[in-house]
Amino acid sequence: MSKITITANRQIFKEGEMNNSMFIILQGNVEIFFTVNNGQTRLALMKPGDFFGEMALFSSNPRSATARAITNCELAVIESKQQLENFLVKNPKFAAKMVSIMADRLAKTNELLISSMENAVAKKIEFSTDAKKVSVDDIQEIQDI
């Protein structure tokens, strides 16, 4: 594991990038955000002791958000699953914290997914109901049969 210093307002990684490092904040504050329709939506404001970017160690997907230093930062960099495993074995309190935080993040993601799916289903039902409305003329034709 290595340490890096990042100056305020500098990006640590960018949404869409491919890299496999996670970070632990030793000093400073980091903002995590993503961009939608040219606007930025903040996901989190991180402080010393927090970690971010861990999904890069577990998947080969591009970054889903951008990390930017809000203040001058000192970060520990973990570049592989092996480094993470070694760190967690040596730091069981951090391991417990990491599991708890990842479980919270997963629960929040699950809530957002369910809410999004409920909205999509409601719109689909609304659309299908509108498409199948029967007019007064249709009723008259049925009665004439």
Side-chain angles (χ1 to χ4, degrees):
M1 179 170 27
S2 60
K3 293 180 186 177
I4 60 171
T5 301
I6 304 287
T7 57
N9 297 314
R10 185 168 158 228
Q11 284 186 354
I12 300 159
F13 57 74
K14 186 177 179 182
E15 187 175 345
E17 282 182 348
M18 295 292 291
N19 60 37
N20 63 342
S21 298
M22 77 169 271
F23 303 87
I24 302 169
I25 303 173
L26 303 174
Q27 293 179 6
N29 297 303
V30 173
E31 174 185 37
I32 309 296
F33 65 91
F34 66 94
T35 305
V36 176
N37 298 329
N38 296 323
Q40 295 177 352
T41 300
R42 180 183 280 179
L43 296 172
L45 184 58
M46 309 291 228
K47 59 188 185 317
D50 289 338
F51 63 91
F52 60 95
E54 72 282 356
M55 291 308 297
L57 295 178
F58 302 109
S59 74
S60 57
N61 295 328
R63 298 282 187 181
S64 60
T66 298
R68 177 175 53 215
I70 298 296
T71 61
N72 291 340
C73 294
E74 183 178 4
L75 307 173
V77 183
I78 298 175
E79 298 179 34
S80 69
K81 284 186 198 179
Q82 185 66 41
Q83 277 187 351
L84 177 60
E85 289 171 7
N86 292 339
F87 176 77
L88 295 178
V89 167
K90 293 176 185 174
N91 298 280
K93 286 183 181 179
F94 187 87
K97 175 184 175 179
M98 186 173 184
V99 168
S100 177
I101 289 171
M102 289 181 73
D104 287 344
R105 290 177 184 174
L106 181 59
K108 288 177 184 173
T109 300
N110 193 40
E111 288 173 19
L112 287 171
L113 179 60
I114 289 170
S115 176
S116 178
M117 289 175 66
E118 286 172 348
N119 288 339
V121 169
K123 287 179 182 178
K124 185 174 181 180
I125 290 170
E126 182 179 307
F127 177 78
S128 64
T129 302
D130 286 344
K132 294 180 181 177
K133 284 186 179 175
V134 179
S135 70
V136 174
D137 291 339
D138 292 335
I139 294 170
Q140 185 61 45
E141 286 179 20
I142 294 169
Q143 290 175 348
D144 290 342
I145 296 179

